[in-house]
Amino acid sequence: METPLRIILFIVSVVSVVFVVRKIRKANLNIEYSLFWIVFSFLLLVLSIFPNLTYVMAKLCAIEAPVNFIFLFMIFLLLLHSFYLTLKTSRLENMIQNLTQEIAIRSKIEEDKAGEKAKEPESDGEKSKWRK
């Protein structure tokens, strides 16, 4: 692996770790999501420090250029993460829909109860007062 690529990978991994840590401190990022990005940055850092690892992995996967292995590996990780987020988003949308339906049903029940109370006579004394 060429030196400029190693330097770029190292800088990107350090900057991404710093960025993630800052977002965690400001409470803008959940720990669950930050772990993925820290591991992602750590993998970039390992690949930039140990370029021979990239050559070995590229040969194992029958990829001619180690740079192509790095791109393929990172794209694969990002696709997995994207799929995980899609699953989580679908689950949250279903929960929102269920909660919305439950709130609508409870509101309708409360309206019906309030309507029934308004129709009932308030007391027996008032009934006889109006009949006289």
Side-chain angles (χ1 to χ4, degrees), residues 1 42-61 66 69-70 73:
M1 183 184 316
F42 177 74
L43 287 174
L44 281 177
L45 188 63
V46 167
L47 291 176
S48 67
I49 293 173
F50 303 109
N52 291 336
L53 181 64
T54 333
Y55 285 104
V56 171
M57 295 303 292
K59 283 185 181 181
L60 286 174
C61 296
F69 171 76
I70 291 174
F73 183 68

Side-chain angles (χ1 to χ4, degrees), residues 25-48:
R25 283 187 181 165
K26 292 181 179 180
N28 292 341
L29 185 63
N30 291 341
I31 299 294
E32 178 184 358
Y33 300 124
S34 65
L35 288 176
F36 171 80
W37 291 110
I38 289 173
V39 169
F40 188 78
S41 302
F42 177 74
L43 287 174
L44 281 177
L45 188 63
V46 167
L47 291 176
S48 67

Side-chain angles (χ1 to χ4, degrees), residues 9 36-37 40 43-44 47 63 66-84:
L9 282 174
F36 171 80
W37 291 110
F40 188 78
L43 287 174
L44 281 177
L47 291 176
I63 299 173
V67 174
N68 291 341
F69 171 76
I70 291 174
F71 288 136
L72 181 66
F73 183 68
M74 294 302 158
I75 289 170
F76 177 71
L77 286 178
L78 291 173
L79 282 173
L80 282 177
H81 189 62
S82 176
F83 181 70
Y84 169 74

Side-chain angles (χ1 to χ4, degrees), residues 5-15 44-45 48-49:
L5 178 61
R6 290 176 63 189
I7 293 170
I8 290 171
L9 282 174
F10 184 79
I11 291 171
V12 166
S13 63
V14 170
V15 167
L44 281 177
L45 188 63
S48 67
I49 293 173

